[in-house]
Amino acid sequence: MASEDKFESVLSTRYCKNSPLVSILSETNKATLWRQLWIWLAEAEKELGLKQVTQEAIDEMKAQKNNFDWPFIRAEERKLKHDVMAHNHAFGKICPTAAGIIHLGATSCFVQDNADLIAYRDSIDHLLKRFATVIDRLATFSLQNKEVVTVGRTHYQTASLVTVGKRGVLWAQELLMAFQSLAEFRDKMRFRGIKGATGTQDSFLTLFNGDEEKVEALDELVTAKAQFSRRFLITGQTYSRQQDSQLVFSLSLLGAAAKKVCTDIRILQAFGELLEPFEKDQIGSSAMPYKKNPMKSERCCSLARKLINAPQEALTILADQGLERTLDDSAGRRMLIPDVLLTGEALLTTLQNIFEGLTVQTENVKKIVDDEIAFLGLEKAMMMLTEEGVDRQQAHAVIRKTALEAKQLQATQKVDIRQTMADPFFDSVRDRVVGLVNNPINFTGRCVSQTENFIEKELKPTIAKYLDHAAGNVQLDV
């Protein structure tokens, strides 16, 4: 059946079809990891002196690790209603020497949970590299525009001037904090290891004739073979689903930060200040051919919504996990965690494309600044007047009256700063204010140095470990 004739996830077929995550989270990779875990378990058991595990059996498993008879596996699962045992039988069928020691001492969660953790770790490693590239692209945009003066906005109304670059690092800081959350989760991830059916390790204690040191060593060995530095010391049948919740929450922070950034971009594009990349043959509207809609930022907001809402399900999965283990978690985790990882990838890929092509509509930005600069000059006038001994409250009252009168005129004419400050009250500061107004960068405070300092002192050191300087630009298929 052609793929167009059946439902498939839009994450894997539309937004992430070229991503390595599609392979990392695939059934084939999961089954391969299960077999690798059985090999690591057998190797560790042999290294610790378990005589029934032979090198011949281990070599046989290694040779057949990638040999999958999927029709047989599917038939076995239909019959047994147990995916791990279906794969166990399939592996044993092609490894007759090893068949008796595959999965020795283990329970299903040995392969299920540990393989999931390896796939999650590998997915996070990719996401962190992508995330670092996204932040780096935004830093480049910010530095390029660190001196481009624009109107600040509070309550969505015009406010004191900022620079486009300073606004860019505000966005970068939000994304960097989400990046740090995901990186910290990666560093603290714990492996389940070998724990047995209810977490007591009793089956392994039996295999090693009650030798607790060997059981502990077995847990450490398998953890090391899987290249984890940390492991759960205690579990039930499964590792704590709180760890899954922490992963989902880290990705939800990415969603929230990205939604804030892309909502800002959408608003600023509506004001005519920014323009997200719009490709040569791209169509903005089927009905209105002249439109350039911010569809990439809109897509990011839509994807972000999925991530923002995901922690509720993760917390429910944690809360519903009864005693040493119930199966309430299984179906939900199979869908939720791959979906949030892929959604994170789709979001980051689109963000990277936006930042690589985001442009400032400089003429329109300048026009908006020119329309507002007189009012900002009045703000400066208040500071200057108080320096000369004028009562601050008196200065505020006069400037408020002057500004409101000028605002009424603004709808029909350009506000001139000299005309606005015609009142003799401003005689002592008028020329100084006019001089400042002629160069709007004077109204942006430390925007330039703040932009530079943040990027050099915080942003670059934080992402350096993960940044691939050779990473190319993103071209979106859709």
Side-chain angles (χ1 to χ4, degrees):
M1 182 186 296
S3 60
E4 289 79 9
D5 295 327
K6 61 181 180 181
F7 172 79
E8 293 180 326
S9 167
V10 295
L11 288 169
S12 60
T13 61
R14 184 174 176 85
Y15 301 128
C16 300
K17 66 180 179 181
N18 298 317
S19 169
L21 264 62
V22 175
S23 296
I24 292 171
L25 299 168
S26 69
E27 279 294 300
T28 296
N29 190 52
K30 179 175 75 173
T32 303
L33 287 172
W34 287 5
R35 291 184 177 185
Q36 184 61 64
L37 283 157
W38 282 325
I39 292 168
W40 285 333
L41 177 62
E43 286 177 336
E45 288 173 336
K46 183 178 184 299
E47 289 168 26
L48 291 168
L50 209 59
K51 292 189 175 7
Q52 55 265 55
V53 180
T54 66
Q55 190 60 47
E56 182 184 3
I58 293 170
D59 290 343
E60 184 180 60
M61 285 193 287
K62 287 180 176 179
Q64 296 295 332
K65 186 178 78 169
N66 297 312
N67 180 7
F68 292 100
D69 183 348
W70 285 107
F72 177 81
I73 293 168
R74 297 305 183 207
E76 283 293 286
E77 188 170 357
R78 279 195 300 273
K79 180 174 68 176
L80 302 173
K81 302 298 184 287
H82 198 292
D83 55 353
V84 174
M85 288 308 298
H87 280 270
N88 191 328
H89 289 180
F91 202 24
K93 180 184 174 187
I94 57 175
C95 297
T97 302
I101 58 97
I102 294 172
H103 201 65
L104 184 62
T107 191
S108 297
C109 283
F110 167 70
V111 290
Q112 289 172 321
D113 275 16
N114 287 323
D116 284 348
L117 288 168
I118 294 168
Y120 300 163
R121 177 195 64 194
D122 293 349
S123 298
I124 293 166
D125 286 345
H126 169 77
L127 288 177
L128 286 169
K129 290 177 183 177
R130 172 78 72 190
F131 209 156
T133 300
V134 169
I135 294 171
D136 178 68
R137 298 296 193 267
L138 180 53
T140 298
F141 171 85
S142 300
L143 286 173
Q144 288 171 344
N145 294 283
K146 64 185 179 182
E147 296 181 358
V148 177
V149 180
T150 189
V151 170
R153 297 183 188 274
T154 58
H155 311 277
Y156 295 116
Q157 310 303 307
T158 54
S160 301
L161 296 183
V162 297
T163 68
V164 174
K166 169 61 190 301
R167 184 176 280 150
V169 292
L170 277 177
W171 295 339
Q173 180 172 251
E174 297 296 347
L175 291 169
L176 190 67
M177 291 170 73
F179 173 89
Q180 289 171 306
S181 176
L182 186 60
E184 287 168 8
F185 173 83
R186 168 64 178 87
D187 290 343
K188 294 178 181 178
M189 272 187 82
R190 287 187 281 178
F191 194 61
R192 177 190 179 274
I194 58 105
K195 298 297 191 293
T198 56
T200 66
Q201 299 178 306
D202 181 63
S203 57
F204 296 105
L205 203 59
T206 301
L207 286 173
F208 287 101
N209 298 313
D211 189 333
E212 287 198 32
E213 289 186 3
K214 283 196 172 181
V215 174
E216 184 72 4
L218 181 68
D219 206 355
E220 291 174 352
L221 264 175
V222 174
T223 300
K225 287 176 183 289
Q227 298 183 324
F228 276 79
S229 59
R230 297 163 61 92
R231 63 189 167 95
F232 283 95
L233 296 181
I234 58 166
T235 70
Q237 188 175 102
T238 68
Y239 68 85
S240 169
R241 297 319 187 204
Q242 190 165 155
Q243 181 165 268
D244 292 346
S245 298
Q246 291 165 347
L247 167 58
V248 173
F249 182 71
S250 291
L251 290 167
S252 75
L253 288 177
L254 160 61
K259 192 170 188 298
K260 181 265 187 296
V261 173
C262 289
T263 299
D264 283 357
I265 292 172
R266 291 164 66 185
I267 291 167
L268 293 170
Q269 185 156 327
F271 289 155
E273 297 183 27
L274 291 181
L275 185 66
E276 71 168 34
F278 194 87
E279 297 174 24
K280 178 177 176 289
D281 296 320
Q282 183 175 334
I283 294 174
S285 169
S286 62
M288 296 166 283
Y290 55 87
K291 293 194 75 178
K292 287 186 175 182
N293 297 328
M295 54 83 67
K296 294 171 182 177
S297 296
E298 290 172 319
R299 175 186 298 171
C300 285
C301 290
S302 184
L303 292 166
R305 194 179 306 116
K306 297 291 290 183
L307 292 178
I308 292 167
N309 290 325
Q312 181 63 51
E313 184 176 356
L315 292 171
T316 303
I317 289 171
L318 164 64
D320 287 343
Q321 181 76 315
L323 302 174
E324 281 66 48
R325 200 271 160 94
T326 55
L327 209 58
D328 302 72
D329 64 331
S330 180
R333 287 180 72 253
R334 288 174 193 256
M335 294 181 285
L336 174 66
I337 301 179
D339 274 3
V340 297
L341 291 167
L342 286 167
T343 302
E345 168 77 336
L347 180 53
L348 288 169
T349 302
T350 311
L351 268 180
Q352 183 178 335
N353 179 265
I354 291 170
F355 294 149
E356 287 169 349
L358 189 63
T359 56
V360 181
Q361 305 296 86
T362 52
E363 290 302 316
N364 202 41
V365 167
K366 183 178 183 303
K367 179 180 179 298
I368 295 169
V369 169
D370 288 345
D371 287 345
E372 299 297 327
I373 194 71
F375 300 99
L376 299 168
L378 290 172
E379 183 182 334
K380 287 282 189 182
M382 183 167 68
M383 298 301 105
M384 293 177 184
L385 287 165
T386 56
E387 286 174 3
E388 296 190 0
V390 176
D391 180 85
R392 192 265 181 197
Q393 305 311 323
Q394 180 190 5
H396 183 277
V398 173
I399 288 171
R400 177 177 178 277
K401 178 177 180 294
T402 302
L404 290 176
E405 289 172 351
K407 270 290 181 186
Q408 288 182 323
L409 294 174
Q410 191 181 34
T412 57
Q413 64 185 63
K414 181 177 174 60
V415 176
D416 178 76
I417 187 63
R418 280 195 178 277
Q419 182 180 349
T420 303
M421 298 178 69
D423 190 315
F425 182 76
F426 297 109
D427 284 351
S428 63
V429 299
R430 187 181 300 108
D431 288 343
R432 290 167 61 195
V433 171
V434 170
L436 288 174
V437 165
N438 289 333
N439 191 3
I441 195 72
N442 292 321
F443 292 83
T444 61
R446 295 187 59 227
C447 280
V448 174
S449 61
Q450 285 179 345
T451 301
E452 294 170 338
N453 290 343
F454 174 75
I455 290 173
E456 291 301 320
K457 295 180 179 180
E458 185 169 351
L459 184 151
K460 286 185 176 180
T462 302
I463 65 173
K465 176 181 174 182
Y466 295 97
L467 183 60
D468 178 4
H469 292 280
N473 286 359
V474 163
Q475 299 297 322
L476 299 179
D477 289 333
V478 291

